[in-house]
């Protein structure tokens, strides 16, 4: 019997395990057949209610409930069988409730609850009375609030803010305990200078509780400084918000504001123009306007008493600019009869006035520079007249000038470094250069073989005409002991330079003297240069100084020969007996012999030498530096040689075309009385005007970036005296200067600027010279506040072919200058500037203060677009209009709470004996 019992027990256990496994398999079959084959959530009906199970796959956990039977069979708890069965049922129920919670059961409920958000405009353009009007309307709406409906309150100016409100009492729906803040509490400190309805609506979207119909009531004057209400309407409709509007009906505050100060796009110096001010008045008002140009009242029209009508008033002022550059205009209003905000009573803006082109005029006789100066001033040029000694010292100083004129200046007064500056100014900076003649111009001034001659379109050598007689020149040189060393060497160099300047058939002699004269070079043709120069080099210093015998020797030699011109140059560094010298010079003049004197150093008798030159019809030169002697001798040689002035009346003949001659009838120009003979260089030098003999009067040549011009007559009341009286004189030289003056090397691209709120959009359209899109430009934009001088940089981004844009936030008020630098990447990776753009924008104060005129039409259109209306009744704000909102109610929390209750009950049954209370453990 004992052996049969374990066998039976094992068999029963096996059968029990097989039964548990069978129940698990059956549960899994039911799960796979009724759950896994179902796609997506499951719908079940329970007690007439539709329940949706979002994750029915968790029902698979119920297949393990038979394991509870297995645990019950082998439980060690000594409980009555009734209590053990109850525990099993509780555990199965607990498992089922947990699994149901995991399947996420939900049900849906339709609701007609309404939540209305009051959106109140509290910007500075709204009066306290208007805000109290909104507050009263909100109180009236709240009085009709039912137990299920909700309200929220948002105030806004530059930014929105959610206001704290109470809610209806839960135990008494008719007892409303909502506190509506007053106007002072609703105002936004330091943020009233803006109105952003769009931002307020965006905040409202997030304050609606789930399961409510969405309504909004907007209180505003419709004035926006930021955002766009009408652009936001479509999004409002997508969020299911029905917008109602309540435009403020309170009149705007008494306010006067300058909305704009409009200047012409281009202003010319000296020409009157109009400035237009647009002044807004919310009601009829009086004010005094003051217009400032810089720091001073506008000269033509500075103060104006205004009678302002409601709306925008257009006021015009007369002004004129006398000096080019940046000119700031500022308009202020004071003595206003009624005004709330003072921030909008002043506006300033800046105008870039192109200055008149600057001309540097170097004149050998500055006291006679008024003729050309007056003519150019009348042609809208600013002329800076200087003597040669005041020539600019650097290229940077010359950059301020668009054109350079050098007139009738001897070469020795313009240093070699200054001549180099002239060449660089023309070649590198693109400047225009006019070299004009006169008694000391071109070859007469010793400019032969100079830097200036190299860049001019003419040479100082004129073609010799066979019928003209030769020149005879005597060089009388002091060789006294005081001339030893550098002075004598430079004197000999001057003699050699004179020989090279003369033509081959000109006659020359050199007489050196101390106490007695010595003819080192006898009178002979200059063609024998080598022999003459060798003889000159033999001159040595000697003893005293006797001028009369040497000068008389020259007189004796020149008086017996025939020559077109006879000339003597006397050089000395000391003093000599003056007796008989004046009589001798007068005798020489009677023989057509002219005399020029040169005093070297400070020990000469300057008065004597000056008087000899005056009697002799020549010139006196006081020379402190021996190095200047060669230039002086060369100039004197030019003056008496064939290159000397041609002084005769002649008509000007046009030989070449030039744009600056348009509108000028050269054939009506009067005759000139003289010029300096020169000779044209080869192409590309161009002759424009010539004498009746075909010699150049006006010629030009391009040198590097600029152009040089040669005017071989003068610009004074000597050779050009009749031209000064010619009506076309000013126009002729004005157009000549304007065509050849230095031009701006960079091209300028037009910039368009648009102010939207506090952002500026700058747009530049770039085209190549052949009207193609100019792509691949690297552009940067610099924005400068004209008042604070604060600067910021932004990139200009390519947004379309040839179009570059930037959107810039303005963090301050005032007028702004915008400059865009356009660069292109070079093959070596560097950036080279190719163009520039300029723009201006005025943002004097927040737009909230620009106009206080309500715009209810904007509010009405927005309300209609969302299905709302204007000026709604309180009942309309909570009327569902047949709308219902279906909300999802999750049931899994209920299932979990029920599972928790079952679990606690199960614990109780396992700890407390219920069915067999008399049982006593053995």
């Amino acid at each position: 019997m004992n052996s049969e019992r374990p066998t039976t027990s094992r068999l029963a256990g096996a059968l029990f395990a097989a039964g548990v496994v069978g129940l698990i398999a059956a549960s899994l079959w039911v799960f796979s057949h009724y759950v896994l084959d179902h796609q997506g959530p499951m719908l079940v009906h329970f007690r007439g209610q539709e329940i949706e199970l979002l994750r029915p796959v968790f029902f698979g956990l119920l297949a393990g409930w038979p394991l509870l039977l297995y645990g019950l069979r082998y439980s060690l708890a000594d409980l009555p069988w009734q209590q053990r069965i109850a525990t099993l049922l509780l555990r199965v129920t607990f498992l089922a409730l947990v699994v149901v919670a995991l399947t996420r059961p939900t049900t849906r409920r339709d609701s007609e609850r309404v939540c209305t958000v009051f959106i109140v405009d509290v910007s500075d353009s709204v009066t306290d009375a208007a805000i109290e009007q909104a507050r009263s309307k909100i109180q009236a709406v709240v009085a009709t609030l039912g137990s299920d409906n909700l309200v929220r309150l948002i105030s806004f100016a530059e930014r929105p803010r959610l206001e704290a409100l109470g809610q209806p009492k839960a135990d008494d729906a008719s007892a409303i305990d909502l506190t509506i803040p007053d106007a002072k509490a609703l105002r936004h400190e330091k943020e009233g200078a803006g109105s952003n309805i769009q931002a307020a609506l965006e905040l409202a979207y997030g304050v609606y509780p789930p399961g409510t119909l969405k309504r909004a009531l907007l209180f505003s004057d419709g004035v926006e400084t930021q955002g766009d209400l009408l652009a936001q309407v479509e999004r409002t409709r997508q969020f299911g918000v029905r917008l109602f509007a309540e435009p403020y009906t309170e009149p705007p505050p008494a306010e006067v504001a300058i909305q704009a100060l409009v200047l012409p796009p281009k202003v010319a110096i000296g020409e009157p123009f109009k400035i237009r001010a647009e002044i807004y008045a919310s009601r009829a008002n009086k004010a005094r306007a003051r217009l400032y140009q810089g720091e001073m009242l506008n000269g033509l029209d500075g103060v104006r008493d205004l009678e302002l009508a409601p709306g925008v008033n257009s006021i015009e002022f007369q002004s004129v600019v006398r000096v080019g550059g940046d000119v700031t205009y500022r308009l202020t209003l004071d003595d206003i009869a009624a005004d709330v905000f003072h921030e909008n009573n002043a506006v300033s803006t800046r105008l870039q006035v192109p200055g008149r082109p600057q001309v540097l005029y170097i004149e050998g006789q500055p006291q006679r520079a008024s003729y050309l100066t007056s003519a150019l001033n009348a042609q809208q040029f600013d002329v800076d007249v200087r003597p040669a000694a005041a020539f600019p010292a650097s290229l940077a100083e010359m950059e301020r000038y668009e054109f350079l004129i050098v007139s009738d200046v001897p070469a020795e007064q313009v240093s070699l470094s200054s001549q180099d500056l002239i060449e660089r100014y023309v070649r590198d900076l693109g400047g225009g250069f006019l070299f004009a003649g006169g008694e000391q111009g071109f070859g007469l001034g010793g400019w032969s073989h100079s830097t200036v001659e190299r860049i001019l379109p003419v040479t100082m050598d004129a073609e010799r005409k066979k019928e003209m007689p030769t020149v005879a020149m005597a060089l009388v040189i002091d060789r006294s002991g005081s001339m030893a060393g550098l002075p004598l060497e430079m004197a000999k160099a001057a003699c050699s330079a004179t020989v090279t300047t003369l033509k081959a058939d000109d006659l020359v002699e050199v007489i050196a003297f101390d106490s007695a004269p010595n003819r080192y070079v006898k009178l002979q043709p200059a063609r024998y240069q080598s022999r003459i120069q060798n003889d000159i080099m033999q001159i040595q210093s000697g003893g005293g100084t006797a001028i009369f015998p040497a000068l008389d020797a020259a007189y004796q030699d020149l008086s017996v020969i025939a020559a077109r011109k006879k000339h003597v140059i006397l050089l000395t560094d000391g003093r000599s007996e003056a007796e008989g010298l004046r009589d001798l010079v007068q005798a020489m003049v009677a023989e057509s012999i002219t005399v020029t004197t040169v005093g070297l150093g400070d020990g000469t008798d300057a008065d004597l030498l000056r008087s000899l030159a005056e009697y002799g019809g020549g010139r006196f030169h006081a020379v402190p530096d021996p190095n200047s002697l060669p230039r002086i001798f060369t100039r004197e040689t030019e003056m008496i040689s064939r290159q000397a002035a041609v002084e005769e009346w002649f008509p000007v003949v046009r030989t070449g075309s030039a744009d600056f001659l348009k509108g000028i009838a050269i054939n009506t120009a009067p005759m000139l009385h003289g010029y300096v003979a020169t000779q044209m260089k080869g192409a590309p030098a161009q002759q424009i005007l010539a004498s009746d003999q075909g010699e150049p009067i006006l010629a030009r040549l391009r040198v590097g970036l600029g152009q040089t011009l040669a005017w071989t007559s003068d610009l004074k009341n000597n050779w050009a005296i009749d031209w000064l009286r010619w009506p076309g004189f000013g126009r002729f030289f004005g157009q000549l200067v304007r065509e050849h003056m230095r031009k701006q090397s960079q091209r300028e691209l037009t910039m368009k600027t648009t102010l939207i709120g506090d952002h500026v959009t700058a747009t530049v359209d770039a085209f190549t010279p052949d009207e193609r899109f100019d792509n691949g430009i690297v552009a940067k934009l610099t924005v400068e506040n004209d008042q604070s001088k604060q600067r910021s940089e932004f990139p200009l981004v390519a947004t379309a072919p040839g179009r570059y844009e930037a959107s810039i936030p303005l963090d301050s008020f005032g007028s702004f200058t915008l400059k865009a630098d356009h660069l292109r990447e070079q093959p070596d990776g560097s950036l080279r500037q190719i163009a520039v753009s300029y723009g201006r924008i005025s943002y004097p104060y927040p737009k909230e203060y620009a106009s206080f005129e309500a715009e209810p039409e904007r509010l009405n259109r927005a309300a209609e677009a969302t299905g709302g209306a204007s000026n709604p009744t309180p009942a309309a704000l909570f009327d569902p209009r047949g709308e219902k909102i279906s909300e999802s109610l999750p049931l899994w929390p209920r299932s979990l709470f029920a599972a928790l209750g079952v679990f606690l009950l199960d614990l109780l049954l396992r700890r407390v004996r219920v069915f067999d209370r008399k049982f006593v453990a053995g």
Side-chain angles (χ1 to χ4, degrees):
M1 291 292 294
N2 294 334
S3 61
E4 291 179 357
R5 290 178 109 181
T7 303
T8 303
S9 178
R10 285 197 296 271
L11 180 60
L15 291 173
F16 182 79
V20 169
V21 173
L23 288 173
I24 292 174
S27 299
L28 288 174
W29 180 86
V30 171
F31 170 74
S32 63
H33 185 73
Y34 291 100
V35 178
L36 285 182
D37 290 345
H38 187 82
Q39 299 295 326
M42 289 182 61
L43 291 177
V44 298
H45 292 82
F46 179 73
R47 299 176 62 181
Q49 186 177 13
E50 189 178 75
I51 298 175
E52 184 178 22
L53 303 176
L54 300 179
R55 296 179 179 177
V57 68
F58 283 101
F59 274 129
L61 297 176
L62 286 177
W65 75 269
L67 295 176
L68 298 175
L69 291 174
Y70 193 81
L72 180 65
R73 172 180 173 83
Y74 295 101
S75 174
L76 298 178
D78 188 12
L79 296 173
W81 64 271
Q82 300 94 330
Q83 197 164 342
R84 294 174 69 183
I85 291 174
T87 300
L88 175 63
L89 294 175
L90 288 174
R91 292 180 181 179
V92 172
T93 303
F94 172 79
L95 176 62
L97 290 173
V98 171
V99 170
V100 169
L102 290 174
T103 61
R104 300 288 297 276
T106 60
T107 187
R108 307 194 71 80
R109 181 182 67 180
D110 292 334
S111 172
E112 293 183 345
R113 286 197 311 159
V114 176
C115 179
T116 299
V117 178
F118 303 109
I119 305 174
V120 182
D121 185 350
V122 295
S123 61
D124 287 346
S125 63
V126 178
T127 62
D128 287 349
I131 297 176
E132 286 300 325
Q133 171 192 337
R135 189 167 178 267
S136 299
K137 180 64 178 280
I138 294 173
Q139 292 283 18
V141 173
V142 167
T144 66
L145 186 62
S147 59
D148 289 337
N149 297 324
L150 302 172
V151 292
R152 300 287 187 270
L153 176 60
I154 292 175
S155 62
F156 75 92
E158 187 175 349
R159 295 180 179 85
R161 183 176 70 198
L162 180 64
E163 302 289 348
L165 291 177
Q167 289 297 325
K169 293 182 178 180
D171 56 347
D172 186 0
S174 63
I176 307 301
D177 186 17
L178 294 180
T179 303
I180 310 299
D182 59 16
K184 183 177 180 181
L186 288 175
R187 291 284 189 188
H188 291 202
E189 186 179 358
K190 298 180 181 179
E191 292 185 2
S195 297
N196 195 336
I197 303 176
Q198 179 177 337
L201 281 174
E202 291 172 344
L203 176 60
Y205 303 151
V207 302
Y208 289 103
T212 58
L213 297 173
K214 301 171 184 177
R215 304 287 187 266
L217 176 57
L218 174 61
F219 297 90
S220 178
D221 56 6
V223 177
E224 295 181 280
T225 63
Q226 294 171 283
D228 191 336
L229 170 62
L230 297 179
Q232 187 69 13
V233 164
E234 179 61 30
R235 193 176 179 202
T236 303
R237 189 164 47 208
Q238 291 174 357
F239 273 99
V241 178
R242 193 185 298 275
L243 180 65
F244 294 86
E246 186 83 20
Y248 287 134
T249 58
E250 287 291 323
E255 184 59 29
V256 175
I258 306 173
Q259 291 186 331
L261 189 62
V262 182
L263 303 175
K266 291 185 178 180
V267 170
I269 292 178
E271 294 184 4
F273 59 92
K274 293 181 179 180
I275 298 175
R276 188 177 80 255
E278 295 181 356
I279 303 175
Y280 166 81
S282 61
R283 60 187 69 170
N285 215 325
K286 294 181 179 181
R288 175 170 293 175
R290 302 177 191 271
L291 179 64
Y292 293 85
Q293 186 186 83
E295 298 300 323
M296 305 295 291
L297 278 171
N298 181 46
L300 293 185
D301 196 359
V303 181
R304 187 87 64 84
D305 289 325
L306 306 177
E307 294 283 345
L308 300 173
V312 178
N313 300 261
S314 184
I315 312 296
E316 288 189 343
F317 296 83
Q318 289 283 337
S319 186
V320 64
V321 176
R322 303 294 182 187
V323 180
D326 285 337
V327 181
T328 299
Y329 280 94
R330 180 167 56 94
L331 180 65
T332 64
L333 298 178
D334 54 24
D335 294 342
I336 305 174
D339 191 41
V340 177
F341 303 104
H342 304 294
E343 295 90 337
N344 53 17
N345 295 339
V347 168
S348 65
T349 186
R350 197 168 65 169
L351 177 67
Q352 179 68 34
V353 181
R356 300 201 297 184
Q358 301 287 310
V359 176
L360 176 59
Y361 183 10
I362 305 297
E363 172 59 57
Q365 302 177 55
Q367 68 277 11
R368 300 173 69 185
S370 59
Y371 306 106
L372 182 62
T373 300
S374 299
L376 292 180
N377 285 338
Q379 294 293 316
Q380 301 303 312
F381 291 94
D382 283 336
V383 183
D384 182 5
V385 180
R386 299 187 185 186
F391 197 90
S394 67
L395 194 63
E397 187 179 354
M398 294 193 67
E399 275 188 308
R400 58 177 289 209
Y401 301 104
E402 278 74 32
F403 198 82
L404 170 64
I405 300 173
V406 175
S407 169
D408 201 14
V409 178
E412 73 257 16
Q413 293 184 14
V414 182
S415 66
L416 295 178
S417 61
S418 295
Q419 294 186 45
D420 289 338
L421 275 180
I422 294 174
E423 180 179 22
R424 292 171 58 197
Y425 170 75
V426 176
R427 183 191 64 208
D428 301 335
L429 295 185
F433 171 46
L434 173 65
F435 190 76
E439 293 179 345
Q440 301 186 87
F442 293 93
L444 301 181
W447 289 96
S448 295
H449 313 296
S450 65
T451 301
V452 169
E453 183 187 35
R454 186 172 67 248
I455 64 175
L456 287 177
V458 298
T459 64
M460 308 299 178
D461 297 327
E463 183 180 355
R464 169 81 59 186
K465 295 187 177 181
K466 295 181 180 180
E467 67 274 17
M468 298 297 293
T470 59
V471 172
M473 178 173 289
L475 306 179
V476 182
I477 307 300
D478 186 349
R479 68 181 187 94
S480 62
S482 60
M483 288 285 291
L486 178 62
L488 184 59
E489 293 303 317
M490 296 310 299
K492 292 192 288 186
C495 294
S496 297
T498 299
V499 174
T500 60
T501 303
L502 291 170
K503 295 302 180 181
D505 56 351
D506 289 336
L507 301 177
V508 63
E509 72 171 346
V510 179
I511 300 174
F513 69 92
D514 46 12
S515 56
N518 185 1
R519 293 180 175 86
Y520 279 86
V521 176
K522 294 182 179 181
L523 196 63
Q524 58 184 291
R527 69 172 63 94
Y528 306 116
Q529 287 187 18
S530 298
R531 183 175 65 191
I532 293 172
Q533 288 176 352
N534 288 334
D535 291 341
I536 291 172
M537 298 307 295
Q538 303 303 317
I539 299 175
Q540 301 294 327
S541 60
T545 303
I547 295 177
F548 185 91
L551 198 59
D552 182 62
Y555 167 59
Q556 299 299 329
D557 294 342
L558 294 180
S559 62
V560 297
I561 57 100
R564 175 179 172 270
K565 285 192 176 183
K566 304 174 185 180
H567 191 63
V568 174
I569 299 178
L570 170 63
L571 167 65
T572 180
D573 71 339
R575 295 176 178 268
S576 175
E577 290 291 334
E579 184 178 358
L581 285 176
R582 289 182 177 86
D583 294 336
L584 176 59
V585 170
Q586 289 179 349
M588 296 172 71
V589 171
E591 295 290 340
S592 298
I593 301 172
T594 55
V595 178
T596 287
T597 59
V598 180
L600 178 62
D602 298 329
T604 61
D605 188 348
D607 293 337
L608 173 63
L609 296 178
R610 183 178 290 105
S611 65
L612 292 178
E614 290 175 358
Y615 281 114
R619 287 150 296 279
F620 167 66
H621 300 276
V623 181
D625 183 9
N627 292 294
S628 301
L629 290 175
R631 282 189 293 168
I632 292 174
F633 273 58
T634 301
R635 191 186 70 176
E636 285 295 323
T637 305
E638 291 286 356
M639 292 189 67
I640 56 90
S641 66
R642 173 61 186 91
Q643 290 90 326
V646 178
E647 293 186 312
E648 56 189 25
W649 292 101
F650 66 92
V652 175
V653 180
R654 179 173 176 175
T655 59
S657 62
D659 290 341
F660 75 90
L661 292 177
K662 291 180 180 178
I664 299 175
I666 290 295
N667 58 340
T668 66
M671 290 191 293
L672 291 169
H673 186 52
Y675 65 96
V676 182
T678 59
Q679 188 173 349
M680 282 295 301
K681 292 180 180 178
Q686 177 192 9
Q687 180 176 278
I688 300 173
L689 301 178
S691 69
D692 57 347
Q693 299 296 320
E695 292 183 305
I697 299 299
L698 178 64
R700 65 182 176 185
L701 173 67
R702 176 164 292 281
V703 178
L705 298 177
Q707 295 189 75
T708 63
L709 297 104
W711 173 258
T712 59
S713 187
D714 67 7
L715 298 172
K716 297 183 288 294
N717 58 343
N718 185 14
W719 296 339
I721 185 169
D722 284 354
W723 269 54
L724 302 181
R725 305 188 187 102
W726 177 41
F729 176 75
R731 185 177 180 184
F732 175 85
F733 280 101
Q735 293 182 182
L736 179 148
V737 171
R738 200 171 299 279
E739 179 176 331
H740 300 92
M741 68 183 185
R742 183 160 62 102
K743 304 295 191 301
Q744 187 175 357
S745 58
Q746 291 180 333
R747 64 179 172 132
E748 185 171 334
L749 303 176
T750 302
M751 178 189 296
K752 297 178 182 178
T753 56
T754 306
L755 180 63
I756 302 176
D758 60 351
H759 277 67
V760 174
T761 300
T763 304
V764 176
D765 290 317
F767 296 92
T768 60
D770 57 353
E771 296 298 322
R772 297 177 181 272
F773 293 121
D774 198 348
N775 300 313
I777 293 177
V778 178
K780 62 179 181 179
L781 181 67
T782 302
V783 181
E784 180 178 354
N785 188 309
D786 295 338
Q787 284 72 42
S788 66
K789 302 302 180 183
Q790 183 177 356
R791 308 177 73 183
S792 303
E793 286 191 357
F794 304 88
L796 277 166
V797 181
T799 59
R803 171 162 290 188
Y804 303 87
E805 290 184 334
S807 182
I808 310 148
L810 297 179
D811 55 4
S812 60
F813 301 110
S815 58
F816 296 83
T817 300
L818 286 70
K819 178 188 177 186
D821 294 307
H822 305 284
L823 307 100
R824 193 180 302 282
E825 186 173 355
Q826 302 302 297
D828 61 358
S830 63
L831 294 175
R832 181 177 66 86
Q833 187 164 355
I834 60 171
V836 67
S837 299
Y838 295 97
R840 296 194 183 280
I841 207 75
S842 179
Y843 185 45
Y845 52 80
K847 284 195 171 182
E848 184 73 13
Y849 302 149
S851 175
F852 292 82
E853 194 71 35
E855 299 184 29
E857 183 59 30
R858 178 182 286 124
L859 303 179
N860 297 337
R861 290 173 58 191
E864 292 173 2
T866 60
S870 297
N871 303 309
T873 62
L877 293 173
F878 298 104
D879 183 2
R881 294 189 184 182
E883 292 182 64
K884 291 184 179 181
I885 187 165
S886 179
E887 60 177 328
S888 178
L889 296 177
L891 299 178
W892 60 267
R894 301 181 187 180
S895 183
L896 282 183
F897 284 126
L900 179 60
V902 171
F903 177 73
L904 294 176
L905 184 59
D906 179 50
L907 281 178
L908 179 65
L909 287 178
R910 280 187 288 165
R911 295 291 184 269
V912 179
R913 184 178 291 272
V914 177
F915 294 97
D916 190 9
R917 300 182 63 83
K918 296 181 179 181
F919 175 80
V920 178

